[in-house]
Structure formats: structure tokens, C-alpha cells
Amino acid sequence: MAGRTVRVGGLPAELPPDRVADKLTIHFLRSRNGGGEIADVRVLGGPEAFALITFEAPEVAQRILKAKDHVLSVGGKKYPLEVTAHAVELSPDEVARSGWLLPTRCHGPSGGSVPGRHRRRPHSLL
């Protein structure tokens, strides 16, 4: 998803996530908004809900990021959207499945940590 995904904030809190996803899809498919083909839309709820939109091509994500003033119109109301690049962060499960081994602190016999010891990435990933 790196390079093809944008993070969108400023979503209408009063709408259900599936309707927000539909409205975002329509907005970001339109060429006048810099949009293009979309691979995935995920609306993540919470106090500051946001969406992750993954485009088929990284060029579309770049156009979206360069475009100014994305405004979502829903039922006569206008919602200014905050569109930023999305840095991919792996969950611990995704890290384990990917084969990456992250630096850790090893504990000595006294329970203290031994500095400088860490696990290395598999050679195939170097």
C-alpha cells in the first residue's frame, strides 16, 4: 500500500461508516478532484474518525495530495477534508508474518538489560 494510500480526516461524525465510505469513493473517483481508480476504502471510527484510501496507481495518490481544498458535500452540508500521505505501520501480527525481526533488549541473569544485543533481519531481506 505504500505510496498509493492517503489518510483522510475531517469526516462527518453523524454518518454511518458505510455511507462515509460511499461518499469518499465518489469524491475521490472524480477526475476534477484529482482522483482515479480506487483499490480500497477503509473508514476507521473513533473520536477522530479517519479513512484510508488506497488507489490503484501511486500517481493518483500524488495528485490527490497536491490538490487543495478537498470538500465533501453531504445533504447540503460541506465537510473540509484533511488529506495527508499515509505512512504504513505494521501491526505486531503483520511484522511476525512478514519475517522481520525487530531490535529487542535482552535481559541478563540479574534481570537488567544487556545493551547492544538485538535480533537481525533475515538475510533475504537485506
Side-chain angles (χ1 to χ4, degrees), residues 93-106:
D93 290 338
E94 290 170 318
V95 170
R97 285 193 305 266
S98 71
W100 283 90
L101 300 175
L102 303 176
T104 60
R105 295 188 66 82
C106 299

Side-chain angles (χ1 to χ4, degrees), residues 65-124:
L65 291 169
K66 288 179 184 174
K68 301 291 181 200
D69 301 324
H70 287 283
V71 178
L72 192 65
S73 296
V74 180
K77 289 186 178 179
K78 296 190 182 292
Y79 301 89
L81 300 176
E82 303 153 9
V83 182
T84 57
H86 174 64
V88 177
E89 296 179 19
L90 298 178
S91 72
D93 290 338
E94 290 170 318
V95 170
R97 285 193 305 266
S98 71
W100 283 90
L101 300 175
L102 303 176
T104 60
R105 295 188 66 82
C106 299
H107 295 281
S110 64
S113 63
V114 179
R117 298 188 108 173
H118 62 278
R119 297 180 185 173
R120 296 179 189 256
R121 288 184 266 160
H123 291 288
S124 63

Side-chain angles (χ1 to χ4, degrees), residues 41-66:
V41 174
R42 293 184 193 179
V43 175
L44 306 165
E48 293 189 31
F50 66 94
L52 296 176
I53 302 175
T54 303
F55 295 94
E56 291 289 338
E59 299 82 31
V60 177
Q62 294 309 309
R63 282 197 314 263
I64 291 292
L65 291 169
K66 288 179 184 174

